[in-house]
């Protein structure tokens, strides 16, 4: 009889749980859309225009998910210490940023350190505040990595430890003209590395590329994308009259060959939370248990400064909480959608063929996404979303200013001149959230016009369309982008 009552209670609890889940289930029809706004990400759409527009939970984040969201947010933002024996410790010995938030301010993109330096009359690109809001990648000319350095130069280090090197930048400027005679300027950064901690590497022997942070907008929706829809887009992405032919990037992660979706070159199948903590902050975890500078002199230097390497710095649960935080962030709604200039700009966006790669509408798979430790987020499933990306890789050209957007860095199947189509949702709020308008992978574009005019290769035809528009038309297209 006791056993029967036990199972009866279990069944009742399960039924109540199902009932609560049904009641909590949001539907797009339940969302009250303010005038002048439009949904960007189904039930994960939020209506914020402030500096915290990227950093708000979706409405479905409740109960234990809310608790874990807050815990993940705290670990994401809090400045890490060198004390490996308490929560939030484990920074170093070498690193790039001292928290996720140092590079992803308000879940966006912190102003690139090198532009801060340039504005202050310096070419010291490594940052003056204990972090670098960029990642510095180096490879041999054949794509292999350098002994004693690996794939990323860590230009920051804790007290008493030597950084791997320091980044310097020189900016080359060139002036061009639109068809109507108005001029515009492009800026091309040239990178060099000084203060090598080990053997100096000759600039002639390496490729060096810099990546600024991505906006963490719509990360959950990206992880929930229907892969068959993306592959179907690749199959159809053949527009000879535009010179466009997108393709998928397939990569192997956790021993499984998968469709790449995240990262500048679609070089990852997940949000790389564990990799970010390991490589960017020097914090070990179950997926990356070794120090990022393992085998280098910095490990011994860290020991002399009191660092302990006997335990992992982050647990799997903590890593999944950060993954949950990123995937549960709301996506800002489109704004000013009824503005005549915005409507005209949207038509020009299509006339220029931008929509062929920056696809406006996609869908998520039925079961939503799965976090790195197996927790499911079904609320992200069966959603119609508007990321303005096909998530395919495209040749972006090597012709503009003699190099174009080719950084010579290969990721999976993606070559140096190829890049994943950047999702545009949230782009119009970057200035408010992060106080700057630097775009493209290394931040060379100082505004949206420059970002467009760096499009070569498969983007060349659209670039020329934009260049031939009148000044009024160009301004309307920019207003449309600012509405996203």
């Amino acid at each position: 009889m006791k056993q029967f009552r036990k199972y009866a209670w279990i069944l009742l609890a399960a039924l109540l749980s199902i009932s609560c889940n049904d009641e909590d289930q949001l539907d797009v029809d339940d969302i009250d859309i303010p005038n002048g706004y439009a949904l960007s990400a189904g039930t994960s759409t939020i209506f914020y225009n402030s500096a915290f527009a990227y950093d708000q939970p979706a409405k479905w984040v409740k109960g234990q998910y809310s608790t874990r969201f807050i815990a993940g947010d705290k670990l994401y933002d809090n400045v890490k210490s060198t004390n490996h024996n308490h929560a939030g410790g484990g920074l170093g010995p070498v690193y790039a940023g001292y928290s996720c938030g140092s590079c992803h301010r308000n879940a966006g993109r912190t102003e690139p350190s090198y532009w801060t330096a340039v504005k202050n009359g310096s070419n010291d690109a490594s940052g003056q505040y204990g972090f670098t809001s960029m990642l510095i990648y180096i490879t041999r000319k054949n794509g292999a990595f350098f002994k004693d350095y690996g794939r990323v130069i860590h230009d920051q280090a804790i007290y008493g430890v030597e950084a791997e090197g320091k980044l310097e930048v020189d900016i080359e400027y060139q002036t061009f003209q639109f068809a109507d005679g108005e001029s515009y300027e492009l800026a091309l950064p040239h990178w060099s590395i000084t203060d090598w901690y080990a053997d100096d590497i000759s600039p002639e022997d390496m490729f060096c590329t810099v990546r600024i942070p991505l906006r963490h907008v719509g990360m959950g929706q990206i992880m929930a994308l229907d892969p068959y829809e993306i592959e179907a887009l690749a199959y159809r992405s053949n527009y000879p009259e535009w010179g466009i032919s997108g393709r998928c990037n397939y990569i192997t992660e956790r021993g499984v060959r998968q469709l790449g979706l995240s990262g500048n070159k679609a070089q990852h199948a997940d949000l790389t939370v564990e990799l970010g903590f390991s490589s960017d902050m020097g914090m070990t975890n179950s997926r990356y248990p070794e120090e990022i500078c393992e085998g280098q002199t910095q490990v011994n230097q860290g020991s002399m400064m009191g660092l302990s390497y006997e335990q992992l710095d982050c647990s799997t649960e903590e890593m999944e909480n950060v993954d949950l935080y990123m995937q549960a962030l709301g996506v800002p709604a489109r704004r000013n959608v009824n503005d005549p200039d915005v409507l005209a700009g949207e038509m020009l966006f299509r006339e220029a063929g931008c929509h062929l790669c920056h696809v406006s509408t996609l869908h998520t798979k039925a079961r939503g996404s799965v976090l790195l430790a197996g927790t499911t987020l079904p609320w992200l499933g069966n959603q119609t979303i508007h990321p303005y990306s096909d998530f395919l890789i495209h040749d972006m050209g090597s012709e503009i200013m003699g190099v174009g957007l080719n950084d010579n860095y290969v990721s999976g199947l993606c070559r140096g001149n190829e890049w994943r189509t950047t999702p545009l949702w949230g782009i119009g709020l970057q200035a408010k959230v992060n106080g700057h308008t630097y775009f493209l992978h290394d931040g060379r574009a100082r505004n949206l016009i420059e970002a467009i005019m760096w499009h070569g290769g498969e983007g060349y035809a659209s670039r020329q369309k934009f260049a031939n528009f009148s000044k009024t038309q160009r301004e309307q297209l920019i207003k449309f982008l600012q509405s996203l």
Side-chain angles (χ1 to χ4, degrees), residues 295-315:
Q296 299 177 191
T297 59
Q298 289 91 345
V299 172
N300 292 333
Q301 292 170 344
S303 294
M304 293 175 65
M305 299 310 300
L307 292 190
S308 170
Y309 306 117
E310 295 178 357
Q311 66 289 309
L312 297 179
D313 299 322
C314 294
S315 68

Side-chain angles (χ1 to χ4, degrees), residues 66-76 318 321-322 325:
S66 179
T67 302
R68 294 185 62 190
F69 178 94
I70 293 170
D73 187 3
K74 182 178 179 181
L75 190 56
Y76 179 100
E318 288 174 319
N321 285 343
V322 176
Y325 161 74

Side-chain angles (χ1 to χ4, degrees), residues 166-316:
K166 291 294 181 178
L167 183 69
E168 291 190 352
V169 65
D170 287 302
I171 308 292
E172 176 187 354
Y173 300 95
Q174 193 167 334
T175 301
F176 303 87
Q177 284 189 328
F178 294 112
D180 60 9
E182 183 182 25
S183 63
Y184 65 94
E185 184 182 69
L186 296 182
L188 174 63
H190 295 281
W191 312 108
S192 58
I193 298 174
T194 63
D195 301 327
W196 300 93
Y197 89 95
D199 293 336
D200 285 10
I201 301 173
S202 169
E204 292 76 24
D205 295 333
M206 71 171 182
F207 290 131
C208 178
T209 182
V210 166
R211 309 281 175 81
I212 68 170
L214 294 169
R215 293 182 301 277
H216 283 164
V217 174
M219 295 289 103
Q221 288 70 27
I222 295 173
M223 292 297 94
L225 281 169
D226 181 350
Y228 299 110
E229 183 174 29
I230 303 303
E231 290 173 329
L233 280 176
Y235 182 78
R236 297 198 307 269
S237 182
N238 183 18
Y239 308 101
E241 66 276 21
W242 292 92
I244 293 174
S245 182
R247 62 195 185 99
C248 296
N249 191 10
Y250 291 96
I251 46 86
T252 299
E253 285 186 341
R254 301 178 191 267
V256 179
R257 186 175 185 268
Q258 303 174 71
L259 175 67
L261 291 170
S262 71
N264 286 287
K265 291 179 178 280
Q267 75 271 27
H268 295 293
D270 62 23
L271 298 185
T272 70
V273 171
E274 300 138 310
L275 177 61
F277 271 72
S278 171
S279 180
D280 301 356
M281 291 176 279
M283 299 181 68
T284 58
N285 52 75
S286 59
R287 187 174 178 185
Y288 298 97
E290 292 188 342
E291 295 294 333
I292 194 64
C293 55
E294 190 72 28
Q296 299 177 191
T297 59
Q298 289 91 345
V299 172
N300 292 333
Q301 292 170 344
S303 294
M304 293 175 65
M305 299 310 300
L307 292 190
S308 170
Y309 306 117
E310 295 178 357
Q311 66 289 309
L312 297 179
D313 299 322
C314 294
S315 68
T316 299

Side-chain angles (χ1 to χ4, degrees), residues 78 98 404:
N78 281 6
Y98 48 61

Side-chain angles (χ1 to χ4, degrees), residues 77-95:
D77 278 329
N78 281 6
V79 173
K80 308 302 180 287
S81 75
T82 57
N83 185 348
H84 288 231
N85 296 313
H86 73 85
L91 179 70
V94 295
Y95 64 94

Side-chain angles (χ1 to χ4, degrees), residues 180-470:
D180 60 9
E182 183 182 25
S183 63
Y184 65 94
E185 184 182 69
L186 296 182
L188 174 63
H190 295 281
W191 312 108
S192 58
I193 298 174
T194 63
D195 301 327
W196 300 93
Y197 89 95
D199 293 336
D200 285 10
I201 301 173
S202 169
E204 292 76 24
D205 295 333
M206 71 171 182
F207 290 131
C208 178
T209 182
V210 166
R211 309 281 175 81
I212 68 170
L214 294 169
R215 293 182 301 277
H216 283 164
V217 174
M219 295 289 103
Q221 288 70 27
I222 295 173
M223 292 297 94
L225 281 169
D226 181 350
Y228 299 110
E229 183 174 29
I230 303 303
E231 290 173 329
L233 280 176
Y235 182 78
R236 297 198 307 269
S237 182
N238 183 18
Y239 308 101
E241 66 276 21
W242 292 92
I244 293 174
S245 182
R247 62 195 185 99
C248 296
N249 191 10
Y250 291 96
I251 46 86
T252 299
E253 285 186 341
R254 301 178 191 267
V256 179
R257 186 175 185 268
Q258 303 174 71
L259 175 67
L261 291 170
S262 71
N264 286 287
K265 291 179 178 280
Q267 75 271 27
H268 295 293
D270 62 23
L271 298 185
T272 70
V273 171
E274 300 138 310
L275 177 61
F277 271 72
S278 171
S279 180
D280 301 356
M281 291 176 279
M283 299 181 68
T284 58
N285 52 75
S286 59
R287 187 174 178 185
Y288 298 97
E290 292 188 342
E291 295 294 333
I292 194 64
C293 55
E294 190 72 28
Q296 299 177 191
T297 59
Q298 289 91 345
V299 172
N300 292 333
Q301 292 170 344
S303 294
M304 293 175 65
M305 299 310 300
L307 292 190
S308 170
Y309 306 117
E310 295 178 357
Q311 66 289 309
L312 297 179
D313 299 322
C314 294
S315 68
T316 299
E317 181 182 4
E318 288 174 319
M319 293 291 89
E320 190 177 65
N321 285 343
V322 176
D323 196 23
L324 169 66
Y325 161 74
M326 292 172 63
Q327 295 202 37
L329 288 169
V331 178
R334 274 199 61 200
R335 302 155 310 285
N336 305 318
V337 294
N338 299 321
D339 184 305
D341 284 334
V342 171
L343 292 170
E346 184 171 12
M347 295 297 294
L348 292 166
F349 183 83
R350 298 184 65 84
E351 183 180 329
C354 306
H355 69 293
L356 298 176
C357 299
H358 291 284
V359 174
S360 62
T361 303
L362 293 174
H363 304 86
T364 61
K365 54 195 174 187
R367 300 183 66 180
S369 72
V370 180
L371 300 179
L372 59 87
T375 300
T376 59
L377 298 181
W379 299 275
L380 296 174
N382 287 319
Q383 298 294 302
T384 298
I385 62 175
H386 306 286
Y388 288 86
S389 173
D390 57 9
F391 295 91
L392 302 178
I393 54 177
H394 296 269
D395 172 11
M396 294 306 296
S398 306
E399 66 273 20
I400 301 170
M401 293 185 70
V403 62
L405 294 179
N406 187 354
D407 73 344
N408 297 297
Y409 197 88
V410 176
S411 297
L413 302 178
C414 191
R415 300 180 296 246
N417 59 329
E418 293 179 307
W419 299 89
R420 182 199 67 169
T421 305
T422 299
L424 299 180
W425 50 9
I427 198 170
L429 289 168
Q430 181 176 298
K432 185 173 287 188
V433 173
N434 296 127
H436 70 86
T437 56
Y438 295 111
F439 300 109
L440 301 181
H441 67 282
D442 57 5
R444 68 179 64 180
R446 293 163 291 180
N447 51 59
L448 289 169
I449 288 178
E450 290 183 25
I452 293 170
M453 298 312 294
W454 270 109
H455 280 54
E458 295 180 41
Y460 178 79
S462 295
R463 171 182 178 270
Q464 290 306 103
K465 283 276 190 178
F466 179 80
N468 289 322
F469 285 156
S470 67

